[in-house]
Amino acid sequence: MQELVLTQQGSTPRSATDAQRLESEAATREAFESHLTECGPLAFRVARGVLRNTADAEDVAQEALLRAFRRFKHLRERDRFRGWLVRITFRLALDRARSAKRREQRETLWSRPERQPPAPTAEDLAARSQFAQRLDRALDELPEKLRLVLLLSAMQGHTLEEVAVLLGVPLGTVKSRLFLARKQLAAKLR
Amino acid sequence: MSCEAYRPKLIEAAAMPAELNAALQEHLDGCASCRELHAKERSLFVAIDAALSSVANGESTPSFLPRVRAAIEQERAASVASHSRFVLWPVAAAAIAAVAVLFVVFQRIPPQQQTASQLAASSSATTPATGSATSSSTNSAADSETGEIASESKVAQREIASYGVGKPRSFSTLAKSEGRIESSQMPDVLVPPDERIALAKFVAALPRRHEIAVALTKPALAAPSADVLSTPLEIAELKLEPLSPEQAPSEAK
Ligand SMILES: [Zn+2]
């Protein structure tokens, strides 16, 4: 069957292009995989820091990683990839949190009492201390730039220098934002 | 300096732990209320840091990264498919044209000894695959291509009927015998009777299966011949010399 009707003249350029394309695809896949293994958890943590919910955070981080994959040819360099991923994840998580809040407000306004979500049980409350709940609210009220610096610097293994690289801002800017964030947070929790 | 003047500095010092400046340290050493305030602020920030650490260092579920990989793989496959549709359009067009030409050629060949129905019956008896395809209504739902195969096999049977099932005949021999096509225009392909339906189905499926068309149209790799690479056979009594290039063709015959 190999020598059948379809012997095509001049097909070499196409197959050469195909081979090059396959080779470059394999290289891209390998490079992306190494970034994914390293930065997937980072994206998740950023999203969870905003949403405080594992399932939602995984959804958002996955979306951010897919977007990173689509733009990967511009993001091959490690620091660039990490910085871009952190920013897009944070943005997506904020959007998600806002739309969840809007939905919650709508439901509270329009739903009858019997349709409202059940009040948290004693176990739920025990699981999250009162202080932690107050901190969540205080975090949500922080300006976005301050909140992101606070989250990134609270992640294990992140020095302030690394946060500066991630955000593409000078170290001094990170320090001053962090200082402001902590002061504002403490003022809300005092 | 009064306690009021020191308090903002104390709070700031608690917010960003660093060495206290000498003046502040001196005031703290001598002022119990400021010491208490500083300790309170420090414990507030300890609690904030603990809560922040738990917020910022959550662990994803073990299925998170595999799920991301799967989503990316799906997206990659979709983009490759759309790329192929774009790049392989000429191949698809050529395959469709080839099928159209074959179809026209077969249509113009008058039916020979046997009728189409006889041939269909005999071919379904000798080719189980076709038999099951034509009775597609009884097939499992899992075979989603059954309907397409059934319609393709009708075309195939018509084609078989048009040039008969006897000894293997080639397309070009058939066409030449009809005196309509020059030998150079038609490739010489021998098709045994029991493979004609399969061939017709295969050709009919080519426009949709780009990757098969591509695989078939790719030239074979120019791998070096094994003969060239092998070392000459060595026997103590008998020394074999490799053939010289001039001798080779005549010896080969
Ligand atoms: Zn004092």
Side-chain angles (χ1 to χ4, degrees):
Chain A
M1 288 298 263
Q2 276 288 349
E3 293 170 3
L4 194 64
V5 196
L6 296 161
T7 306
Q8 192 186 48
Q9 293 297 313
S11 62
T12 316
R14 166 166 291 160
S15 63
T17 316
D18 279 352
Q20 278 173 352
R21 190 169 55 80
L22 288 175
E23 204 173 293
S24 108
E25 264 172 24
T28 301
R29 209 191 299 191
E30 199 177 313
F32 186 81
E33 172 57 33
S34 87
H35 284 323
L36 173 64
T37 310
E38 189 203 338
C39 304
L42 173 64
F44 167 77
R45 286 180 174 183
V46 168
R48 190 178 174 279
V50 175
L51 297 161
R52 265 98 60 186
N53 172 297
T54 300
D56 288 350
E58 287 187 350
D59 277 358
V60 164
Q62 176 172 324
E63 174 59 25
L65 286 159
L66 267 173
R67 291 188 187 201
F69 173 72
R70 287 174 203 141
R71 287 182 54 90
F72 190 53
K73 62 179 171 186
H74 306 292
L75 299 170
R76 278 183 170 266
E77 203 259 313
R78 177 184 177 268
D79 286 339
R80 198 184 170 91
F81 183 90
R82 280 162 60 87
W84 189 88
L85 183 65
V86 162
R87 288 191 296 275
I88 193 77
T89 307
F90 186 64
R91 179 85 12 234
L92 289 171
L94 286 176
D95 288 349
R96 179 114 165 189
R98 281 192 202 109
S99 62
K101 200 168 189 173
R102 277 198 297 272
R103 198 169 50 242
E104 198 178 296
Q105 284 170 346
R106 259 200 320 272
E107 282 166 5
T108 311
L109 270 175
W110 294 100
S111 64
R112 288 188 231 154
E114 65 267 25
R115 280 195 180 175
Q116 282 179 4
T121 62
E123 277 175 348
D124 291 337
L125 289 174
R128 286 192 61 70
S129 74
Q130 205 190 353
F131 182 81
Q133 290 177 49
R134 284 176 63 210
L135 181 105
D136 284 354
R137 278 198 299 275
L139 271 176
D140 290 347
E141 289 165 8
L142 280 184
E144 289 165 16
K145 281 181 177 178
L146 303 189
R147 203 185 335 176
L148 184 53
V149 167
L150 200 59
L151 269 179
L152 292 174
S153 57
M155 283 177 197
Q156 278 157 15
H158 275 180
T159 62
L160 294 188
E161 284 80 2
E162 281 166 335
V163 175
V165 170
L166 271 179
L167 298 179
V169 296
L171 178 60
T173 307
V174 170
K175 282 182 175 170
S176 65
R177 283 184 193 171
L178 184 59
F179 180 55
L180 261 176
R182 290 170 73 82
K183 275 211 307 185
Q184 291 191 14
L185 204 57
K188 290 170 196 292
L189 293 168
R190 213 171 266 128
Chain B
M1 222 165 29
S2 69
C3 291
E4 286 304 314
Y6 280 116
R7 284 193 174 162
K9 288 187 178 12
L10 279 176
I11 290 172
E12 286 179 6
M16 293 295 265
E19 211 154 294
L20 298 174
N21 72 44
L24 193 58
Q25 187 63 62
E26 198 179 323
H27 179 80
L28 278 183
D29 290 344
C31 177
S33 74
C34 284
R35 229 176 13 250
E36 195 187 333
L37 175 71
H38 184 243
K40 210 173 150 191
E41 283 296 309
R42 281 299 310 139
S43 69
L44 173 62
F45 278 104
V46 167
I48 287 175
D49 286 337
L52 272 179
S53 176
S54 120
V55 166
N57 292 291
E59 291 293 337
S60 58
T61 59
S63 64
F64 169 58
L65 281 182
R67 223 167 44 234
V68 174
R69 283 191 190 99
I72 284 166
E73 205 48 44
Q74 204 176 351
E75 172 136 342
R76 205 189 58 78
S79 87
V80 167
S82 68
H83 177 86
S84 304
R85 267 197 294 281
F86 175 71
V87 169
L88 297 176
W89 174 241
V91 176
I96 292 167
V99 171
V101 167
L102 288 174
F103 189 78
V104 168
V105 168
F106 293 147
Q107 288 287 310
R108 289 171 65 187
I109 298 168
Q112 302 191 354
Q113 297 96 356
Q114 288 170 280
T115 67
S117 57
Q118 283 169 321
L119 285 159
S122 69
S123 67
S124 58
T126 52
T127 53
T130 316
S132 66
T134 45
S135 59
S136 61
S137 59
T138 60
N139 281 359
S140 74
D143 189 358
S144 61
E145 291 183 11
T146 307
E148 295 166 18
I149 291 172
S151 65
E152 281 162 14
S153 69
K154 279 182 198 149
V155 174
Q157 283 166 0
R158 199 160 56 235
E159 286 164 3
I160 291 163
S162 68
Y163 60 83
V165 275
K167 60 188 189 319
R169 300 177 71 178
S170 79
F171 289 1
S172 61
T173 316
L174 193 67
K176 276 182 259 174
S177 73
E178 296 295 319
R180 284 199 286 264
I181 299 171
E182 289 298 313
S183 60
S184 62
Q185 287 177 282
M186 286 292 280
D188 209 12
V189 184
L190 284 175
V191 184
D194 58 347
E195 287 180 14
R196 287 180 188 168
I197 289 175
L199 174 69
K201 276 156 67 177
F202 170 75
V203 171
L206 277 180
R208 291 193 314 276
R209 302 292 302 273
H210 305 142
E211 67 280 8
I212 295 177
V214 169
L216 284 168
T217 52
K218 255 183 193 168
L221 289 174
S225 158
D227 298 341
V228 177
L229 297 174
S230 62
T231 51
L233 181 65
E234 302 232 4
I235 300 172
E237 302 80 26
L238 183 67
K239 184 78 179 171
L240 289 179
E241 295 289 337
L243 292 173
S244 70
E246 293 78 21
Q247 283 174 300
S250 58
E251 288 296 315
K253 287 172 192 172

